[in-house]
Structure formats: structure tokens, C-alpha cells
Amino acid sequence: MKKKKIVIALGHDALGTTLPEQKIATKNTAKAVADFINDDCQVIITHSNGPQVGMIHTAMSEFARLYPEYTNTPMSVCSAMSQGYIGYDLQNAIRTELLNRGIYKPVATILTQVTADPYDEAFYEPTKVIGRIMSREDADAEEKKGNHVTAVEGGYRRIVAAPKPIDIVEIDSIRALIDADQVVIACGGGGIPVLSQGHNLQGASAVIEKDLAAARLADLVDADELIILTGEEKVCLNYGKDDQIALDELTVTQAGQYIENGEFEEGTILPKIEAAIDFIGNSAIRKAIITKLDAAKKTLGGTVIHK
């Protein structure tokens, strides 16, 4: 019998912010992942990296400021670093949890590159705020390098583009591991954003929206379900208001209408809804579930999105 193939997109709550928090959070996350594997599901994992890549970028920028003989670290390299150290904690926590349950199944992190369209409008209107708070002098220096900055409370910060994911460079390697019935961690933080230049891949000063990358991953591995874990149990209408309504299910058509009406907030729930729509497409079989980590096992309380 064919196993149910699921892609689990881990959010901030599943990872924590600091190194100690991440160690604890990944142990809890591993229990939920192991539950799915115990139910004989084939699991592919992707994850956010917001606080982690921000910490890395800030640290590397400060290092280059203090030691001018070292060059600044590009965003693409910072993204690769975050994939490595989040994947390290995740794969070890999942491996330990599986072995404690008497399950031997290899767990591997794939350093993943995701291509973007160099003509994506996002490159002309960067929106993602990253890195440390800078003085006006430091901000001017960044702009001279061709980077974009924006004013924030206390100074200035860099902003980068958030282009849509086009393709996953390592998808064949990911599929090979899935075919070998291994647990795969891929496209962390939306993947390392790259631009294709002939046979070369050039790192882009950008951040790929992690939920959209998760949808692309789920589509390319032909998953049955995309489970997006977030801080809320359900998708809500009128979120945060007295007349808030939690949704048990949502069709793709309904979701599209709510988006047109401006119901979902950009940068929070909107990309998750868009990811679900992208993944489901015209399929009558695929479904997406948006829920909290503690509700993930049986998707109790989650919002199911379907055709």
C-alpha cells in the first residue's frame, strides 16, 4: 500500500529563537514528526529561519565592520548557514526520537537552492527587513554598495527582495532520498535564493517566502498533504477582533475570494493561504492543513483547505 506523502512546514514555534530555545523546541517538534512516521507516513520537512538568519546576518555584518580586512557575508551564504545549523538540530532530534521508539530511519538535511526570476517585481520593491539597526552613516555605506535600507525605530535596517520560488535545484536528490524512504529536511527558510546564469547559479540578495517554497516543494515531490504549522490553531476571519470566526475548512475558491477582499494579513497568514492554493491547484485529492504544532498529529482544530 502506498504511503501517504506529507510535507510539514515548520514555523517559528517549532524552532524557537535562540540556540538553547532551538534545542528544546526541536525535541518537541521531533515527537510530532515521529507520530506521523509511526503512522507510516512518508515525511518531508521544511522550516522557517527568520530569527536564525537574522542573527547570522547581524553577526557576520558586525564582524566585517570590526575587521575591515574581511568581506561582508552575502545573504545567500547566511541562508546556507541557517539551513545547516537548523537542520543539524532537527535531524538529530528526529533521529533520537525515532530510535527511542525503535524505528530506524535515516534523516538527512539537504542544503537547498531555490531559483528565482531575475525580473521578478520583488527585486524592484524590496520589503523584507533584515540585520542589525544601523546609524545613518552605516546606512549610507550600505546604499553605496547597492543595498537598500529603510528607516526603523532607532535607526536604519537593510531590506531585501522576496521573489517567488521558481524551481528547486536539488529536487532530484530530494526525490532520491524520499524513494529510499528516508526523512528529508529541505528548502529551509525558503531555500537559498539563486539566479540561474547559464550553468552557474548566482546567490541573490533576497529571501524566498518559506511558505511558498514549501508549496513548491510539496508540488514537486507530489505530496498528498501540505501541513503548515503556525502559532494559531485555525485560520480566522476578522482576526483579533470581537467578531473573529475560526474556520474548520476552506475551499480554494473561498480562499481566493477572501484574499481579494483583503481578509488575510500580509506577512503572516496570507502567504500560508497562498501556499495552500498554489499546492492544491486543480487537484481534487490534495489538501493543505494550517494548524498549531500541538494539534498537528490528528489535525484537531486545524483548518483544512481543499478544492
Side-chain angles (χ1 to χ4, degrees):
M1 183 177 176
K2 181 183 176 183
K3 292 185 178 182
K4 179 191 289 187
K5 189 183 297 181
I6 60 174
V7 169
I8 303 175
L10 304 175
H12 170 71
D13 288 353
L15 298 174
T17 300
T18 65
L19 287 169
E21 282 180 7
Q22 184 170 294
K23 284 284 187 184
I24 295 170
T26 51
K27 287 181 181 179
N28 293 330
T29 298
K31 296 181 187 300
V33 171
D35 284 342
F36 284 108
I37 294 169
N38 202 55
D39 285 349
D40 208 27
C41 291
Q42 197 165 38
V43 177
I44 303 97
I45 299 165
T46 186
H47 58 80
S48 64
N49 73 340
Q52 291 85 353
V53 77
M55 177 184 70
I56 291 168
H57 183 268
T58 298
M60 300 308 289
S61 295
E62 187 66 11
F63 180 78
R65 187 183 69 82
L66 292 173
Y67 300 94
E69 64 271 25
Y70 290 92
T71 57
N72 275 295
T73 306
M75 270 303 299
S76 55
V77 177
C78 292
S79 178
M81 290 179 176
S82 73
Q83 282 192 25
Y85 101 80
I86 295 172
Y88 166 68
D89 278 346
L90 266 177
Q91 68 184 33
N92 283 345
I94 295 169
R95 176 183 179 275
T96 298
E97 181 64 28
L98 291 175
L99 289 174
N100 286 341
R101 298 186 186 202
I103 301 170
Y104 176 75
K105 189 180 290 287
V107 186
T109 299
I110 296 289
L111 196 64
T112 317
Q113 301 172 94
V114 174
T115 58
D117 182 351
Y119 300 105
D120 191 306
E121 291 183 3
F123 285 110
Y124 303 99
E125 296 181 8
T127 57
K128 289 285 187 179
V129 179
I130 61 165
R132 64 187 176 90
I133 295 176
M134 301 178 287
S135 65
R136 178 69 260 186
E137 182 182 3
D138 288 342
D140 288 341
E142 286 295 328
E143 289 185 320
K144 286 180 181 178
K145 298 174 189 173
N147 297 324
H148 298 273
V149 300
T150 187
V152 297
E153 184 177 353
Y156 300 84
R157 294 180 71 187
R158 271 193 67 189
I159 50 173
V160 297
K164 292 182 178 179
I166 301 298
D167 201 6
I168 297 171
V169 177
E170 289 77 21
I171 192 63
D172 288 338
S173 297
I174 294 167
R175 287 176 179 146
L177 289 172
I178 293 170
D179 289 344
D181 200 28
Q182 299 191 25
V183 181
V184 186
I185 302 166
C187 293
I192 303 163
V194 294
L195 305 176
S196 182
Q197 299 177 344
H199 293 299
N200 296 322
L201 295 172
Q202 177 66 44
S205 184
V207 174
I208 302 285
E209 172 55 59
K210 64 178 179 60
D211 295 312
L212 298 182
R216 191 75 185 108
L217 173 63
D219 178 48
L220 290 174
V221 301
D222 195 22
D224 299 293
E225 290 183 9
L226 169 62
I227 300 177
I228 301 176
L229 301 183
T230 184
E232 300 293 337
E233 227 175 90
K234 296 182 181 181
V235 174
C236 295
L237 302 179
N238 307 318
Y239 180 72
K241 300 177 182 177
D242 292 338
D243 57 347
Q244 175 176 301
I245 302 171
L247 302 174
D248 293 325
E249 64 177 326
L250 193 59
T251 68
V252 167
T253 301
Q254 289 171 330
Q257 188 60 58
Y258 286 135
I259 290 174
E260 283 187 24
N261 295 341
E263 182 64 50
F264 303 124
E265 185 178 354
E266 289 188 29
T268 55
I269 193 63
L270 178 59
K272 294 171 176 54
I273 300 294
E274 291 175 332
I277 293 172
D278 287 350
F279 167 64
I280 295 167
N282 293 318
S283 173
I285 300 172
R286 291 178 175 181
K287 65 180 179 180
I289 301 165
I290 300 176
T291 189
K292 289 182 71 171
L293 179 65
D294 57 6
K297 172 61 168 62
K298 296 181 181 178
T299 64
L300 297 175
T303 301
V304 179
I305 304 175
H306 55 83
K307 184 62 177 176

